[in-house]
Amino acid sequence: MNACRPIFFLLLLACAQASAQGDDLDRLLQERGLTDAPPGQTMRATPDHSAAGAPADRMSELVVAAMGAIGVPYRMGGNSYDSGFDCSGFVRAVYGQSLGLTLPRQAAQQAAATHVIERNQLRPGDLVFFNTLRRAYSHVGIYVGDHKFIHSPRPGAAVRIEDMRVNYWNRRFDGARRVTGDVPLRAPLQVAADPALLLQNY
């Protein structure tokens, strides 16, 4: 039971931030009986359409699905809950399972295929990118709210939640992205065909 508390509280934190930014994590938790609506506050009748044209409650489910993978081991090239994930395989699997979307396979391709947003515009379900291999967009995770993201970090580790404000991640932050309906879900062919182009920002 104690092991579940950190995840539950992170869901509540994500709910609070999402509410301030127009997301509906609070609505999802209320519908599942995990929180009460604040007195005098009514839930929005009009859903907030965000990533890939999906209503915000589906983005909330995406975050919950991502948290369901906590503890799944890292595996280079992995993209399944059974055998493990690398960072981009994790993002691809969560988006595929939750929204039925097929994102590109590599982190840099995912960055190229999604919509650029500012760090202060992040909402749960958005993608966050980092330079961890001395090249741009070499690592990716899913933002869950309250400056935290979930990812599959490295060999020997497992899917976990980290704080973007920690010095290691803050210094390596490369940018934020949102999957929207007007952005292609596959990276341009030249990016996939020529790996050298992945280094074009350096």
Side-chain angles (χ1 to χ4, degrees):
M1 179 65 70
N2 288 339
C4 296
R5 287 180 181 172
I7 296 174
F8 177 73
F9 286 122
L10 276 169
L11 279 171
L12 291 179
L13 287 171
C15 164
Q17 183 186 39
S19 175
Q21 296 179 340
D23 206 344
D24 283 337
L25 277 171
D26 53 346
R27 179 179 170 188
L28 175 68
L29 294 175
Q30 289 164 11
E31 287 173 353
R32 295 185 179 182
L34 297 175
T35 67
D36 295 323
Q41 179 177 324
T42 58
M43 290 185 288
R44 279 196 313 243
T46 304
D48 175 20
H49 293 266
S50 53
D57 58 348
R58 293 197 63 197
M59 295 308 298
S60 303
E61 292 175 8
L62 181 144
V63 171
V64 171
M67 289 186 173
I70 288 175
V72 173
Y74 179 97
R75 184 171 74 85
M76 180 69 72
N79 57 12
S80 77
Y81 288 84
D82 294 329
S83 60
F85 299 106
D86 61 17
C87 66
S88 56
F90 169 65
V91 169
R92 192 173 196 259
V94 170
Y95 262 86
Q97 172 187 301
S98 303
L99 300 181
L101 300 177
T102 304
L103 294 178
R105 182 60 182 84
Q106 297 179 355
Q109 295 171 343
Q110 292 173 357
T114 47
H115 181 70
V116 177
I117 58 173
E118 296 299 322
R119 185 167 178 164
N120 62 8
Q121 295 176 312
L122 277 166
R123 296 187 296 196
D126 289 336
L127 305 183
V128 287
F129 292 88
F130 304 88
N131 178 344
T132 58
L133 298 176
R134 297 187 178 180
R135 68 173 187 264
Y137 311 114
S138 51
H139 190 70
V140 61
I142 298 173
Y143 186 72
V144 298
D146 192 39
H147 307 284
K148 294 179 174 61
F149 71 103
I150 185 169
H151 67 141
S152 186
R154 63 177 187 274
V159 173
R160 66 191 186 200
I161 293 171
E162 310 244 25
D163 194 316
M164 294 171 60
R165 296 168 296 185
V166 170
N167 190 43
Y168 178 87
W169 297 111
N170 193 47
R171 287 190 294 112
R172 289 166 173 78
F173 181 71
D174 254 348
R177 300 288 189 273
R178 182 165 295 150
V179 182
T180 58
D182 59 351
V183 174
L185 294 181
R186 282 177 169 68
L189 292 178
Q190 64 268 25
V191 172
D194 185 359
L197 289 178
L198 300 182
L199 305 177
Q200 63 187 353
N201 291 334
Y202 276 85

